[in-house]
Amino acid sequence: MKTVEDYQDGQILLIDKPLNWSSFQAVKKLKYALINKLGLPKKFKIGHAGTLDPLATGLLLVCTGKFTKRITELQGQAKEYTGTFFIGATTPSYDLETEVDQTFATIHIDEALIHETVKQFLGEIDQKPPIFSAIKKNGVRLYEHARAGETVEIATRKTTIHEFEINRVSLPEIDFRVVCSKGTYIRSLAFDFGRAMQSGSHLTALRRTKIGDYDVTDAISADLFEESLSPTL
């Protein structure tokens, strides 16, 4: 059982974030549990190394105490994701946060085209972040511009796709596995993938399975983590 001193000296907690939780909510729950069950001070440092959207599940690395200084290092490691693209329709958010805004033909899409299209996205690519993202433009987060109905010019950025595999094709759904660099938006990959096939696509499921050598199979839920803590006597 880890002590107050252990958490202050620094720990990396592997948390399996559930669907519909923000990364901030998960960290807040862990902080509350550590303060109330172990008696850590309210100003105790804790933070996560890489945001997961509420509609994504999977590995969230949470650093405590002195290990919060390692957050930037951990964020820079390659990440692995699995998930599902829905082919033939797009949404403004590139995922299920918003409703379908356009539909497209898919009759020309077969497995050969899908696997050939994958090759276009391997290596360094230019990617435009979704308008529904937390990136700031003129001091305001992009999703705030989007929800206000404002049009914003978003610059492309370089990102790297190390591995891109198709695991299941059952149109309109495609299951995939991607290993990518920091700053990659899988939602944007979904949108661009559909466009590259002369159709449309959006993300319907996403799970982060690895960050560097850390694996979600070694992670636990925030609830189980809280239950594992011994209350302060």
Side-chain angles (χ1 to χ4, degrees):
M1 180 63 62
K2 291 182 172 59
T3 65
V4 168
E5 289 73 24
D6 290 331
Y7 287 106
Q8 288 178 322
D9 286 341
Q11 297 292 317
I12 297 176
L13 311 177
L14 277 62
I15 301 300
D16 190 346
K17 188 191 82 64
L19 191 67
N20 295 323
W21 280 37
S22 70
S23 299
F24 175 77
Q25 284 175 307
V27 172
K28 186 176 179 181
K29 182 177 178 64
L30 297 177
K31 184 173 184 178
Y32 182 85
L34 288 165
I35 289 170
N36 286 276
K37 284 204 167 187
L38 291 190
L40 281 149
K42 290 185 178 180
K43 292 186 178 181
F44 167 66
K45 289 184 178 181
I46 186 169
H48 65 77
T51 302
L52 271 178
D53 291 336
L55 292 179
T57 67
L59 184 60
L60 190 68
L61 294 184
V62 179
C63 299
T64 75
K66 295 176 182 177
F67 276 20
T68 54
K69 294 178 181 178
R70 295 185 58 188
I71 285 176
T72 301
E73 164 208 337
L74 294 168
Q75 285 176 332
Q77 298 190 45
K79 299 171 179 67
E80 179 186 81
Y81 296 90
T82 59
T84 302
F85 297 156
F86 185 98
I87 307 300
T90 57
T91 71
S93 60
Y94 302 172
D95 65 4
L96 295 177
E97 183 181 344
T98 53
E99 299 293 325
V100 168
D101 60 352
Q102 281 187 282
T103 57
F104 300 83
T106 59
I107 195 168
H108 63 289
I109 297 175
D110 57 17
E111 288 205 31
L113 176 60
I114 291 167
H115 288 285
E116 191 63 30
T117 303
V118 164
K119 298 175 185 177
Q120 298 180 31
F121 292 91
L122 287 169
E124 187 177 75
I125 61 172
D126 289 311
Q127 185 181 77
K128 184 178 289 188
I131 183 64
F132 282 80
S133 65
I135 295 171
K136 286 187 177 181
K137 176 83 172 182
N138 301 324
V140 179
R141 297 199 183 278
L142 288 182
Y143 63 75
E144 295 179 29
H145 287 294
R147 289 167 185 163
E150 299 167 357
T151 302
V152 178
E153 184 62 35
I154 306 171
T156 60
R157 48 175 65 183
K158 298 288 185 185
T159 188
T160 303
I161 306 297
H162 301 292
E163 298 176 39
F164 188 1
E165 296 178 354
I166 302 300
N167 297 324
R168 179 181 71 98
V169 177
S170 182
L171 292 174
E173 292 185 339
I174 298 175
D175 289 351
F176 65 88
R177 183 185 73 89
V178 166
V179 179
C180 55
S181 65
K182 172 188 175 182
T184 302
Y185 280 90
I186 306 300
R187 287 182 286 146
S188 292
L189 181 64
F191 179 84
D192 293 340
F193 191 79
R195 187 168 55 181
M197 293 194 297
Q198 305 301 311
S199 184
S201 175
H202 63 281
L203 188 67
T204 57
L206 184 66
R207 181 165 177 78
R208 185 158 65 197
T209 47
K210 290 183 181 179
I211 299 175
D213 292 330
Y214 298 98
D215 196 301
V216 73
T217 57
D218 298 317
I220 62 171
S221 70
D223 287 335
L224 282 177
F225 175 79
E226 183 177 15
E227 289 173 16
S228 74
L229 298 174
S230 294
T232 304
L233 298 177

